[in-house]
Amino acid sequence: MGVVDGNRPCSDNDWETITQGGDEKIKKWIAEQMDGKSCVIVLIGANTAGRKWINYEIVKGWDEGKGVVGVYIHNLKDSDGKQSSKGANPFASIPYGNTGNMLSSIVKAYDPPYSNSTNVYDYIKENLADWVEEAINIRNNA
């Protein structure tokens, strides 16, 4: 989208190479990806919530004082032109310190109000920078 400069998405082939190195290689790769970043953006798809490495990235980012924000992407078309079903909020299963609450009580997850892929894409593109800034402010004040 050009909103998050210098952050190239990881391809399936890249991820396969990384995961072959085991947990420590994955943790090292995640640390390298987060280095120098001020916010973790979680793209929430049908199967995002509960994934080991998604949860790890969320907790690591939060614990390092980074902003954390989620964006639902179920209405964006994939490479086959299909839209997936909406996934669960990944922050709803991660405890927020010792408060008894889940991280979802403070971290926002945005669900674009459109079903047309083009409109969803444009909405995310127009708002992502503001959502990131808001997430950083939320984390700084938590």
Side-chain angles (χ1 to χ4, degrees), residues 41-58:
I41 302 168
V42 180
L43 301 178
I44 306 170
N47 300 307
T48 302
R51 286 189 171 171
K52 174 183 177 179
W53 295 112
I54 296 295
N55 289 356
Y56 177 82
E57 290 174 347
I58 292 168

Side-chain angles (χ1 to χ4, degrees), residues 82-101:
K82 297 178 183 174
Q83 292 172 302
S84 68
S85 58
K86 183 177 178 180
N89 184 333
F91 311 120
S93 62
I94 299 174
Y96 174 43
N98 295 322
T99 66
N101 295 322

Side-chain angles (χ1 to χ4, degrees), residues 96-109:
Y96 174 43
N98 295 322
T99 66
N101 295 322
M102 294 295 145
L103 203 53
S104 58
S105 68
I106 190 167
V107 171
K108 294 188 177 182

